[in-house]
Amino acid sequence: MDGSPDPDLRPDRPRIFGIGLNKTGTTSFDQAMTILGLRSLHDGGTDVHNAVKLAIDDDVPLLSHVDPRWDVFSDIGLLSRRFRMLHTQYPGSRFVLTTRPMDKWIDSRRRHVERNIALHAAGEYDGTFLVIDEEKWTNEWVHHMERVHAFFDGRADFLEIDLTANPEWGPLCRFLGRPEPEEPFPWVNRDRAIHGTDQSEGHPC
């Protein structure tokens, strides 16, 4: 051992960033990355949110206070909205925009809020995602998509994919330069989505 840092854990190394909004197949994306042998962080909860927020406040690279072992990040709003900064701070990274038809995305969010309201009434939910605001959500969707498309137009380090339409390994594996696994693609909430009861994929940030 020469005491040199492990290059696989170098904090400024390229990463893979899922920059789709929540409820666009981010859970499936996360599990697919794990199957491909990557260390994938989905959502991360309050600790990761606070770590990224601290980096923003300190004006340092966004992952400065996050465990360096992670290769992939998804469903972390403070990161996915700052894809321009990530592109500059982590050269060579790749960006995946998971998407789905906007009307289905809004419907999924609406049902998520309805579940939260019921859980809140039962004393089982203490979060803040309790208001249905389809106009605000529509604006959020359009604004995010416009910004992403404007920035990544024509770039080879960007992939847009709808995992809810035809989940398969090909596009992701070609984009990441990895062989396709033999096991089926992990569409985590497929049965629930078909029956209109799909569950939350993380929480809005």
Side-chain angles (χ1 to χ4, degrees):
M1 299 288 292
D2 61 4
S4 301
D6 184 344
D8 290 336
L9 295 179
R10 198 179 77 244
D12 62 345
R13 72 187 188 280
R15 312 295 178 89
I16 299 167
F17 295 101
I19 58 174
L21 299 173
N22 77 312
K23 309 192 78 61
T24 58
T26 59
T27 301
S28 298
F29 172 77
D30 168 69
Q31 294 204 12
M33 295 299 97
T34 299
I35 292 171
L36 291 177
L38 297 162
R39 294 162 292 200
S40 184
L41 178 64
H42 178 257
D43 181 11
T46 302
D47 288 346
V48 171
H49 177 91
N50 290 341
V52 177
K53 180 64 166 57
L54 180 60
I56 294 169
D57 293 341
D58 290 346
D59 195 23
V60 296
L62 292 171
L63 302 181
S64 294
H65 304 303
V66 177
D67 191 323
R69 76 178 185 273
W70 300 111
D71 303 310
V72 186
F73 300 85
S74 59
D75 201 7
I76 303 172
L78 289 179
L79 292 179
S80 59
R81 292 195 297 270
R82 290 170 172 79
F83 50 83
R84 292 174 180 265
M85 296 176 65
L86 294 170
H87 195 273
T88 299
Q89 294 171 354
Y90 302 95
S93 291
R94 292 188 170 266
F95 296 81
V96 178
L97 177 67
T98 49
T99 186
R100 70 189 298 184
M102 185 177 69
D103 60 335
K104 295 185 181 298
W105 175 75
I106 289 176
D107 181 62
S108 181
R109 272 199 166 188
R110 176 183 53 76
R111 285 184 278 108
H112 182 180
V113 171
E114 290 171 348
R115 287 192 298 273
N116 286 351
I117 291 172
L119 291 171
H120 181 74
E124 298 174 6
Y125 175 74
D126 59 1
T128 59
F129 193 40
L130 294 165
V131 177
I132 295 173
D133 190 338
E134 295 189 7
E135 181 178 1
K136 178 181 178 181
W137 296 345
T138 297
N139 291 336
E140 177 186 358
W141 176 276
V142 171
H143 181 63
H144 186 66
M145 294 299 170
E146 287 180 346
R147 290 181 63 241
V148 171
H149 290 153
F151 182 75
F152 285 105
D153 182 38
R155 295 182 185 269
D157 56 0
F158 171 74
L159 173 70
E160 180 173 349
I161 188 168
D162 182 351
L163 296 176
T164 71
N166 185 25
E168 58 181 354
W169 287 109
L172 273 174
C173 289
R174 288 192 295 271
F175 178 63
L176 300 175
R178 289 179 172 261
E180 294 188 29
E182 294 184 1
E183 61 188 281
F185 191 91
W187 186 6
V188 176
N189 291 322
R190 179 173 187 167
D191 291 337
R192 289 192 290 262
I194 290 173
H195 292 93
T197 58
D198 60 318
Q199 301 298 305
S200 167
E201 293 180 335
H203 54 77
C205 297

